[in-house]
Amino acid sequence: MASMITTTAWVPRGFAAPFPNKYQFDEEEFERIAALAKLQLDDAEEDLAEAQEAEKKGSKKSDKKKAERAAKDDDASDIEIDDDLKEYDLEHYDDTDEEQGEGQPMGMFGNVKSLAYYDSNKDDPYITLQDGADEDDEDREDLQILATDNLLLAAKVEDELAHLEVYVYEDAADNLYVHHDIMLPAIPLCVEWLDCPVSKPGVDKDSAANFVAIGTFDPDIEIWDLDTIDCMYPNAILGQGGNAEEEKKKKKKKKAKKANDEYHVDAVLALAANRKHRNLLASGSADKTIKLWDLHTTKCAKSYNYHTDKVCSLAWHGVESTVLLSGSYDRTAAIADMRAPGEQPMRVGVESDIETVRWDPHDPNYFYVSTESGIVHYFDARNAAKDPSASKSVWKLQAHDESVSSFDLNPVIPGFMVTGSTDKTVKLWDITASGPSLVVSRDFDVGKVFSTAFAPDREVAFRVSIAGSNGNVSVWDTSTNAGVRKAFAQKVPNLPTREDGAEDRLVAVNNDEESSSDEGEDDDDEDDSEEDSDDQDGDSMDED
């Protein structure tokens, strides 16, 4: 079974509901879904009209086929039917019975309202075996999320199906399992966790929440409530697919393909939620634009088009909350103040297509850029200029032989960086004033590495999620690695140690439904490339 995980995202502790709600389909929900699905239904009607038009053009061919079919039927009528078969009236087997009358028309949601449903199985007269209280309690316990649990979101493609898997990571028990999943309309490319409620009735707009925004090959962005399981449809759609009222006016028009100021018209490659202005979400697209969305209104507040190629990565500044860092296939990273859309941003240039951009979480004056050629650049934002060719990095590191498809910086431990590459390796780096040095390199058999991310909470600061082209998710406890313990002993004086003494502890869920695996012993033999920071200054690091 072909599968891969394109991206992952952590959810901090304390935001998930202890007992997630089960989806309730009522009259109000029906109306909401019908409105959101209006665009898809109109497109389907247009496709049907085109198909009918094409059918008319081929009517001559079909008439000829009908004539040939009628001739065959006449020949068949001449065949004498056995007396034993006459009682079954096989000659009129395909005839419709006009006495039955017209049936109820079917549609996407046409007959849903006619179905009888009950809030409890006890009220349903057709259910004689009632669920016991013990079973309800057991189901409720299975869905429980503890305050010490982290959620890990993984965007997965399996054959032709795309979905978001919501994992629960229990650090104390070394357990990782799928809690529930969300079906998606297209291949997911980016995932961003949101702490702002979006289109959730009865909830204050400024309250804490547990939502996720998902960008796919479709131009629309879907917003889902992670505290509700078995949902049929997203809480909101950012884009043309979520504007049913406007679509009524443009019923006969196809979806726009030209970039505009209201919605994306191509795949959404990057998402970034603003943690200080919680209702703002930035998105970057293959249509070369960046859009700023107001999650309270689910409308595009502003559109920016200062890149000349696909926008593949976004990051908000940790202190100046209106400043956005963006990376593009035009080989530039731009620093722009979203309050001044008319001004040209400050830029830096790199040697190849950009993969990921990140601000330094421990020094807001600096940022990182990874590229397709396997290089990680470290820039001083104060030296950025409007001419990208005039930029100069503080240092650059040849981290991998192939593309640095993902990297992350530890939000708790200064100078702790992880990189992942399409060369199938994951590397940990110790960054000091003199530059980066390699701590350890590992191949965890996840295929091409598409996602590496540090856990967001201090209690699990040494945990790294790893995922890639073979469809598996793993959580690596880097504190169980001897090289990591030695490199960061000064930065983390009370570095925790495991009682079982496991080396390179890896907790994983794979296609064989194994809940965990301990690969420490194997890794020691097959890829023991740990390097002390005293012995090595990285794979190849140039200071400019």
Side-chain angles (χ1 to χ4, degrees), residues 24-44:
Q24 296 292 331
F25 189 80
D26 51 19
E27 185 77 17
E28 183 179 354
E29 180 67 359
F30 169 80
E31 298 296 339
R32 186 183 74 85
I33 290 178
L36 286 173
K38 187 68 170 64
L39 179 61
Q40 289 90 326
L41 291 173
D42 287 348
D43 284 348

Side-chain angles (χ1 to χ4, degrees), residues 219-474:
D220 295 331
I221 302 167
E222 294 192 348
I223 310 291
W224 293 82
D225 184 359
L226 293 173
D227 288 339
T228 304
I229 62 175
D230 299 331
C231 285
M232 292 178 59
Y233 220 71
N235 287 60
I237 297 177
L238 307 182
Q240 190 175 12
N243 197 348
E245 295 181 1
E246 180 181 341
E247 186 61 21
K248 290 179 181 178
K249 302 176 184 177
K250 300 179 180 180
K251 219 176 188 183
K252 299 181 181 179
K253 294 183 180 180
K254 283 286 186 184
K255 283 189 176 182
K257 293 297 180 185
K258 186 177 180 180
N260 58 77
D261 294 338
E262 297 180 5
Y263 45 79
H264 289 301
V265 295
D266 208 338
V268 178
L269 306 179
L271 294 169
N274 194 309
R275 299 306 175 194
K276 293 192 176 181
H277 306 284
R278 295 166 50 233
N279 64 308
L280 296 183
L281 175 70
S283 61
S285 171
D287 64 14
K288 307 176 186 179
T289 69
I290 296 172
K291 288 187 168 40
L292 190 61
W293 302 89
D294 185 347
L295 297 178
H296 289 165
T297 63
T298 66
K299 303 293 183 184
C300 180
K302 197 66 184 177
S303 181
Y304 308 84
N305 57 359
Y306 45 77
H307 281 292
T308 58
D309 208 334
K310 300 173 182 178
V311 182
C312 58
S313 185
L314 299 170
W316 289 101
H317 195 274
V319 178
E320 300 292 336
S321 59
T322 61
V323 174
L324 184 70
L325 174 64
S326 58
S328 169
Y329 287 177
D330 63 12
R331 301 187 176 186
T332 68
I335 305 170
D337 192 328
M338 299 290 100
R339 297 171 298 181
E343 294 186 10
Q344 282 298 313
M346 308 302 283
R347 300 173 186 266
V348 297
V350 293
E351 77 291 336
S352 60
D353 292 352
I354 290 177
E355 293 284 351
T356 312
V357 295
R358 289 279 189 275
W359 287 103
D360 188 335
H362 304 284
D363 192 336
N365 293 319
Y366 296 88
F367 63 92
Y368 297 78
V369 177
S370 72
T371 68
E372 187 182 31
S373 57
I375 296 177
V376 175
H377 295 262
Y378 188 55
F379 287 99
D380 188 336
R382 295 166 294 187
N383 295 334
K386 291 187 177 179
D387 181 8
S389 62
S391 63
K392 195 174 182 181
S393 58
V394 177
W395 53 256
K396 62 180 179 180
L397 168 71
Q398 184 70 52
H400 293 268
D401 296 331
E402 297 184 18
S403 170
V404 181
S405 48
S406 67
F407 83 98
D408 197 17
L409 300 156
N410 197 297
V412 178
I413 305 165
F416 194 8
M417 180 174 73
V418 58
T419 60
S421 172
T422 52
D423 65 10
K424 302 183 180 180
T425 63
V426 176
K427 296 182 180 182
L428 300 180
W429 305 86
D430 181 16
I431 302 173
T432 61
S434 60
S437 58
L438 180 64
V439 177
V440 61
S441 177
R442 285 284 183 268
D443 182 348
F444 286 115
D445 197 27
V446 298
K448 294 181 178 180
V449 181
F450 294 145
S451 180
T452 53
F454 282 107
D457 300 294
R458 181 173 294 274
E459 297 84 353
V460 286
F462 280 92
R463 311 306 185 266
V464 178
S465 64
I466 304 166
S469 59
N470 71 356
N472 293 340
V473 179
S474 303

Side-chain angles (χ1 to χ4, degrees), residues 185-206:
I187 295 176
L189 302 174
C190 52
V191 172
E192 183 75 350
W193 173 73
L194 305 173
D195 62 352
C196 175
V198 183
S199 301
K200 190 169 184 177
V203 176
D204 184 75
K205 64 180 182 179
D206 295 323

Side-chain angles (χ1 to χ4, degrees), residues 147-164:
T148 55
D149 293 340
N150 283 96
L151 295 187
L152 179 59
L153 314 176
K156 190 171 186 177
V157 181
E158 203 164 8
D159 289 335
E160 297 181 357
L161 296 177
H163 55 141
L164 180 77

